[in-house]
């Protein structure tokens, strides 16, 4: 009949649900399982916003690669790849937990609350798929960056070769 959360830093999703419970006591009356669902759903929604932000950053990086690719661009690509990798390792175990909650493996969750956890599980599956796509996009952006840099270097080498050839011909 209790729900306890433990975290070092404040989590906005938990605070939003707490505020909602203070305004409307019906949330508390539905039980700890429903409250866990509400918190979980909010956290998953916040994760979706984070992934959408990362997707927007990749779009900007792709534009930047073709206009003014710099060393900072490469660092940003690696940062996004690292974030997507970390998110993947966070999502996989959470997805399995929600699968078990939806399936009814835990006696603490009432049968009528299982459907809510199926919803969160579906969101987690979708989130995982989007994150995998994001990782692929970041990998593609990295490949594109390296190709653009390589092409620019080839152009510079061509000019330097022409200049060296002219100087060699003059000395001959």
């Amino acid at each position: 009949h209790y729900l306890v959360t433990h975290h070092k830093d404040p989590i906005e999703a938990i605070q939003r649900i707490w505020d909602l419970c203070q305004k409307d006591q019906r949330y508390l009356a539905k039980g700890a399982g429903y409250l866990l669902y509400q918190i979980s759903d909010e956290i998953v929604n916040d994760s979706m916003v984070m992934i959408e932000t990362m997707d927007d950053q990749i779009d900007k990086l792709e534009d930047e690669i073709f206009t003014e690719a710099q060393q900072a661009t490469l660092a940003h690509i690696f940062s996004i790849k690292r974030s997507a990798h970390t998110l993947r390792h966070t999502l996989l175990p959470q997805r399995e937990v929600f699968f078990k909650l939806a399936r009814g493996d835990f006696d603490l969750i009432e049968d009528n609350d299982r459907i809510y956890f199926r919803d969160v599980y579906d969101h987690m599956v979708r989130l995982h798929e989007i994150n995998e796509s994001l990782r692929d996009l970041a990998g593609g952006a990295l490949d594109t960056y390296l190709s653009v840099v390589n092409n620019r270097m080839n152009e510079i080498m061509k000019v330097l070769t022409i200049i060296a050839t002219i100087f060699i011909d003059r000395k001959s």
Side-chain angles (χ1 to χ4, degrees), residues 157-172:
M157 292 304 291
K158 186 179 357 175
V159 169
L160 290 175
T161 303
I162 291 170
I163 292 171
T165 305
I166 291 171
F167 281 118
I168 290 173
D169 283 344
R170 287 190 176 185
K171 285 188 174 188
S172 303

Side-chain angles (χ1 to χ4, degrees), residues 29-59:
K30 291 183 179 183
Y34 184 76
L35 204 54
L36 176 61
Y37 155 71
Q38 287 290 333
I39 291 172
S40 302
D41 193 46
E42 283 293 312
I43 290 172
V44 169
N45 289 339
D46 287 353
S47 298
M48 187 64 78
V49 170
M50 182 179 62
I51 281 191
E52 288 171 358
T53 302
M54 290 168 59
D55 188 38
D56 291 342
Q57 289 175 346
I58 287 178
D59 288 342

Side-chain angles (χ1 to χ4, degrees), residues 40-41 43-52 54 82-100 120-135:
S40 302
D41 193 46
I43 290 172
V44 169
N45 289 339
D46 287 353
S47 298
M48 187 64 78
V49 170
M50 182 179 62
I51 281 191
E52 288 171 358
M54 290 168 59
R82 196 171 26 257
S83 296
H85 183 73
T86 301
L87 189 58
R88 179 177 192 259
H89 286 288
T90 302
L91 289 175
L92 285 175
Q94 288 178 359
R95 187 180 71 176
E96 293 307 313
V97 168
F98 284 109
F99 178 70
K100 289 180 179 185
V120 175
Y121 172 73
D122 289 342
H123 289 153
M124 293 293 289
V125 168
R126 184 168 174 254
L127 200 58
H128 176 71
E129 290 171 357
I130 293 170
N131 188 55
E132 290 300 308
S133 297
L134 197 65
R135 286 182 50 197

Side-chain angles (χ1 to χ4, degrees), residues 3 11-24 27-28 34-43:
L3 178 64
I11 299 174
E12 291 180 28
I14 294 175
Q15 189 60 48
R16 286 193 302 267
I17 297 301
W18 177 251
D19 293 342
L20 206 66
C21 289
Q22 298 303 310
K23 292 177 187 173
D24 189 352
Y27 284 96
L28 294 173
Y34 184 76
L35 204 54
L36 176 61
Y37 155 71
Q38 287 290 333
I39 291 172
S40 302
D41 193 46
E42 283 293 312
I43 290 172

